Amino acid sequence: MAQIIGGIGTSHVPAVGAAIDHNKQNEPYWAPYFEKIAPVRAWVREAKPDVCIIAYNDHASAFSLALIPTFAIGVAATFPPADEGYGPRQVPDVAGHPPLAWHLAESLILDEFDMTIVNEMSVDHGLTVPLSVMFDQPKKWPCKVVPLCVNVIQYPAPTGNRCYQLGKAIRRAVDEFPGDERVLILGTGGMSHQLQGERAGLVNADFDLAFLDRIVTDPAGQSAVPHTDYLREAGSEGIELVMWMIMRGALDEQVREVHRAHHVPTSNTSNGVIVLENA
Ligand code: DHB
Ligand code: FE
């Protein structure tokens, strides 16, 4: 059977993608961040995932306010990059894993999670930046991807608990997938940041570090944290952190923290990365 080999939580800051794309990883502004994530890249190289399930949000690239799925799963063979602002990054197309994606769709929907099935979809920095965090700038991404797109853009977003329970359902589904795939699960977004309004530029490192602690040792407690706490403490876009709960739900109750990085600032956000293995 397929096997979840671990989970990664990571911010998906577009400026990190731009730094990689424009060869700035060794510049003084960026070097300290990339030094902190070197052990993440080393772990992924060693872990050799065949496929990554990436919980991320689209930022009005593939979807718009015309259509807002709460949870969408990409079942296509290929997902081209897209982005707001400067347009698509010059990164390889993302290869899907249709058999696993369809298995997940069936298992999750019959498990009473009403997924939207997406046959055609581009993927933006929410998904491609985490790939670059893990794999740097290869000619071809070294693993397949099942995109799991979550609405955290238009209120109401799903609760942290709903995301945590979805992660548990993903775990049940992967455990029943008849293959020998090594599956890595990612929760992306965050950490504290607010991109507009009076509190633009908000960073709350205390909240972020407490979140990193709690997602390791008390995920059920963290899953009960309401939206208002994220908004108040981590800013309007800090709500992206609920997607990390999907990753955490797919792991065992007890996990081992392999590596953690926290860096402020990247762009005007607080950046966190954590690597977890089942204990
Ligand atoms: C920015 C955008 C994001 O989607 C995010 O998660 C963090 C930062 C930005 O535009 O800086
Ligand atoms: Fe984002």
Side-chain angles (χ1 to χ4, degrees):
M1 292 298 163
Q3 181 200 351
I4 299 250
I5 57 167
I8 293 182
T10 176
S11 300
H12 59 216
V13 182
V16 166
I20 295 167
D21 299 346
H22 298 108
N23 237 340
K24 294 185 175 171
Q25 295 188 56
N26 296 319
E27 292 194 355
Y29 180 87
W30 286 107
Y33 165 75
F34 285 104
E35 274 161 28
K36 287 180 190 176
I37 65 161
V40 177
R41 289 175 165 177
W43 181 86
V44 175
R45 259 197 310 278
E46 194 74 19
K48 292 191 180 55
D50 299 303
V51 49
C52 291
I53 300 171
I54 305 186
Y56 75 107
N57 67 290
D58 177 71
H59 305 73
S61 305
F63 299 109
S64 70
L65 295 182
L67 176 71
I68 308 169
T70 300
F71 294 120
I73 182 162
V75 297
T78 313
F79 304 94
D83 240 308
E84 52 181 332
Y86 291 101
R89 299 178 57 209
Q90 300 301 307
V91 291
D93 281 359
V94 174
H97 193 311
L100 177 61
W102 276 107
H103 168 81
L104 283 166
E106 178 180 358
S107 178
L108 294 173
I109 290 167
L110 297 182
D111 212 353
E112 304 182 347
F113 287 86
D114 305 317
M115 311 300 290
T116 297
I117 296 168
V118 190
N119 282 301
E120 252 178 62
M121 182 165 77
S122 55
V123 287
D124 74 5
H125 67 268
L127 186 138
T128 63
V129 167
L131 286 175
S132 303
V133 166
M134 291 190 293
F135 299 120
D136 203 345
Q137 194 75 311
K139 290 228 155 47
K140 179 174 175 251
W141 299 118
C143 72
K144 295 182 174 178
V145 173
V146 176
L148 202 152
C149 185
V150 181
N151 167 46
V152 290
I153 296 286
Q154 167 70 56
Y155 187 82
T159 62
N161 183 54
R162 188 64 174 158
C163 291
Y164 186 52
Q165 299 305 327
L166 176 62
K168 288 176 181 281
I170 289 171
R171 173 64 177 279
R172 292 192 284 275
V174 170
D175 284 349
E176 287 175 357
F177 183 67
D180 53 8
E181 279 83 353
R182 296 169 59 76
V183 181
L184 178 63
I185 181 149
L186 274 82
T188 80
M191 297 196 91
S192 54
H193 66 298
Q194 173 150 339
L195 300 175
Q196 72 280 304
E198 278 177 25
R199 297 199 304 162
L202 176 146
V203 164
N204 183 348
D206 289 342
F207 175 90
D208 294 334
L209 292 171
F211 178 88
L212 291 173
D213 288 341
R214 209 150 174 224
I215 198 170
V216 177
T217 57
D218 182 21
Q222 184 61 40
S223 77
V225 170
H227 284 155
T228 43
D229 286 24
Y230 285 98
L231 296 175
R232 189 180 57 249
E233 301 296 328
S236 54
E237 277 69 51
I239 193 68
E240 289 183 342
L241 283 170
V242 295
M243 295 182 290
W244 292 41
M245 299 311 301
I246 299 177
M247 174 277 287
R248 185 62 183 87
L251 303 179
D252 287 353
E253 205 74 27
Q254 300 285 328
V255 290
R256 196 170 74 79
E257 181 174 332
V258 177
H259 185 70
R260 169 192 300 209
H262 183 249
H263 188 77
V264 180
T266 50
S267 173
N268 54 1
T269 82
S270 164
N271 195 314
V273 187
I274 199 163
V275 181
L276 302 175
E277 283 176 349
N278 288 324

